[in-house]
Amino acid sequence: MKYILDSRYRFRGWHGAPYGVYDTVKRRASFFEESLYRLLMRYDAVQEIDPAAGGDRQKRFFDQMLREGIVREAGMWDFLQEVQQYRAYPARYRREAHWSVTGECNLKCRHCFMSAPHAKHGSPSHAQILGIVDQLAECGVFNVSITGGEPLIRSDLPEIIDLLNEREIGLETIYTNGWLVDEKFLDMLEKHHVHPGFQLSFDGIGCHDFLRGVPGAEERTVKALRLLQARGYGVSVSMCLHRRNASSLRETVRFLSSLGVNGLKCAAIMDLGEWQGPEAEALRLTQEEELSLYCDYIPEYFEDDAPLSLMLSGAFMYAPGMPQWHVAYHRECPAEEAAETLACGVLGGVFYIGADGIVSPCQGMCDCGIAGRLDSLFNRPLREILTDSEYVKLSYLTVADVRNGNDECRACAWADQCTGGCRNSALIAGDNPCGVDPDACFFFRNGWEERVREAAHPAFERYLQRHPASAAEVQELKAENALPECL
């Protein structure tokens, strides 16, 4: 019998991970042991295959590949397409790039960690932009999310999308303030056959204009959210909390839900970029104030029947229909697993390209002290940066590295429940990539996990009685990523 790799899959390899199969529908790769991968490559519609000839292990592997639709029985005229043939990329595998196509913006946000009101990081030229797309394709990066500054101010955005399509790079998400989202823009996307998700910022009913620094910003954002819902685009929102908008949280969640928003992520504003000086100090929530706000709101969220997916910093996260909510700060990692567990579960698959070309593990690091040690792909090829660089060292930090990298984590009684928190927060606090995340540390040492659980559990039990989750709903929700990854 002859079998063939299904047409949605391609044989691919990356530096350090040569035995991969790329799924063009889910737009991500899976990796195999060498012996099983070589067996898989025999499913080419040419070679005769006896699934039972290689013993039980190979038979189980074959059955799994057949069951999951990765391979199928070959017809008389089937052949492995040229695009499915094995290709190796000269860089480590990364599922997605978050890319600032400009460091400029049409708003004047008081809290901008990139200092976009002053275009601190500049804006790449058209030629540089096209060169970045070519480098992404060369490295086998098949997904991008574009951000800024404000990405929609670029007049060459249609040409950028054209080139992404030509290089078979999917446009996953557009991060925008919403001011320029209109029918004409969405028509352009549809003309170019892309249908990305959107993430917008909304900083509280009646409070948005204050933080964004331009009158009318709230009205324009709401208009954009209504339009995106009407045109069938998935939308998530981020909300930066401070003393002037904290009391609007419940009302804001209800309002965003009515606009069709899928998920909201809330966090206090980072002490970066524009968010410094006397005004910021007066408006900044203390850790105690922020966590108290969450504990007060979580029961109300469940009383309102969890109207959208919600993430409250690292203290709480939930997607409607799931059988359990989670404390994001709480990641079980016993000592014997610490050396094999990444300190951040996101950074091994996603990276950030700044408007100045700097490649970093995440966007928040662009203004930390460590940014000066990172490479720009305008000066060094992306294939080298993704293979061996300071960026690689940062993205592969393990829990053991963090626990051994500072005195507090090394001696912490909560070490097995905490993987060290956010590396970006640690860098902001002390410029040590293996340092303490003060927010995670405060959360555990001051009993906030117990307080969050006490606040959430009774309301959640009542919610579950009203809305029991089916197994099908759970699987569907697990497959989705309704919550935004970063602010």
Side-chain angles (χ1 to χ4, degrees), residues 235-291:
V235 183
S236 60
V237 166
S238 63
M239 180 178 180
C240 292
L241 294 166
H242 53 86
R243 287 185 178 145
R244 285 185 61 163
N245 70 358
S247 63
S248 73
L249 180 55
R250 187 178 193 179
E251 183 186 8
T252 297
V253 171
R254 288 172 168 173
F255 179 62
L256 292 174
S257 174
S258 74
L259 298 179
V261 171
N262 300 324
L264 172 68
K265 180 176 179 181
C266 299
I269 300 172
M270 292 182 177
D271 189 16
L272 283 173
E274 302 294 285
W275 194 246
Q276 298 178 49
E279 181 187 48
E281 187 64 33
L283 292 171
R284 186 178 295 120
L285 292 171
T286 66
Q287 294 163 310
E288 183 93 14
E289 289 170 332
E290 181 185 3
L291 292 169

Side-chain angles (χ1 to χ4, degrees), residues 186-324:
L186 298 182
D187 288 343
M188 182 275 291
L189 293 182
E190 293 178 14
K191 178 182 177 181
H192 288 78
H193 308 291
V194 294
H195 195 85
F198 280 80
Q199 182 170 325
L200 278 69
S201 296
F202 187 77
D203 297 301
I205 295 175
C207 304
H208 190 70
D209 284 8
F210 164 75
L211 202 60
R212 300 293 153 176
V214 175
E218 183 168 336
E219 180 182 354
R220 295 290 287 260
T221 299
V222 171
K223 182 179 179 181
L225 290 170
R226 294 188 190 280
L227 177 60
L228 289 166
Q229 181 191 40
R231 296 286 290 261
Y233 287 87
V235 183
S236 60
V237 166
S238 63
M239 180 178 180
C240 292
L241 294 166
H242 53 86
R243 287 185 178 145
R244 285 185 61 163
N245 70 358
S247 63
S248 73
L249 180 55
R250 187 178 193 179
E251 183 186 8
T252 297
V253 171
R254 288 172 168 173
F255 179 62
L256 292 174
S257 174
S258 74
L259 298 179
V261 171
N262 300 324
L264 172 68
K265 180 176 179 181
C266 299
I269 300 172
M270 292 182 177
D271 189 16
L272 283 173
E274 302 294 285
W275 194 246
Q276 298 178 49
E279 181 187 48
E281 187 64 33
L283 292 171
R284 186 178 295 120
L285 292 171
T286 66
Q287 294 163 310
E288 183 93 14
E289 289 170 332
E290 181 185 3
L291 292 169
S292 294
L293 172 66
Y294 297 157
C295 285
D296 289 342
Y297 174 64
I298 290 168
E300 297 175 338
Y301 167 74
F302 286 123
E303 287 169 13
D304 293 340
D305 288 329
L308 43 66
S309 295
L310 181 68
M311 187 169 187
L312 301 174
S313 188
F316 173 88
M317 60 188 300
Y318 182 69
M322 291 294 284
Q324 188 56 271

Side-chain angles (χ1 to χ4, degrees), residues 362-373:
C362 74
Q363 190 170 12
M365 293 183 184
C366 70
D367 207 43
C368 295
I370 203 168
R373 291 158 48 189

Side-chain angles (χ1 to χ4, degrees), residues 131-208:
I132 290 173
V133 177
D134 287 340
Q135 291 197 59
L136 291 168
E138 179 191 22
C139 294
V141 179
F142 292 111
N143 303 283
V144 299
S145 291
I146 61 171
T147 182
E150 172 50 49
L152 272 59
I153 67 174
R154 288 202 68 108
S155 61
D156 59 354
L157 193 56
E159 294 175 72
I160 297 172
I161 294 173
D162 267 341
L163 190 58
L164 290 172
N165 285 339
E166 183 181 324
R167 298 290 190 269
E168 297 187 315
I169 299 173
L171 180 55
E172 290 287 301
T173 306
I174 295 176
Y175 292 74
T176 173
N177 59 42
W179 188 282
L180 298 174
V181 174
D182 55 18
E183 296 277 8
K184 181 179 178 181
F185 173 72
L186 298 182
D187 288 343
M188 182 275 291
L189 293 182
E190 293 178 14
K191 178 182 177 181
H192 288 78
H193 308 291
V194 294
H195 195 85
F198 280 80
Q199 182 170 325
L200 278 69
S201 296
F202 187 77
D203 297 301
I205 295 175
C207 304
H208 190 70

Side-chain angles (χ1 to χ4, degrees), residues 329-333 399 403 414-421 440 444:
Y329 283 133
H330 189 122
R331 289 178 63 198
E332 295 282 345
C333 185
V399 175
R403 289 180 183 171
W414 290 270
D416 286 353
Q417 291 82 48
C418 175
T419 55
F444 285 106

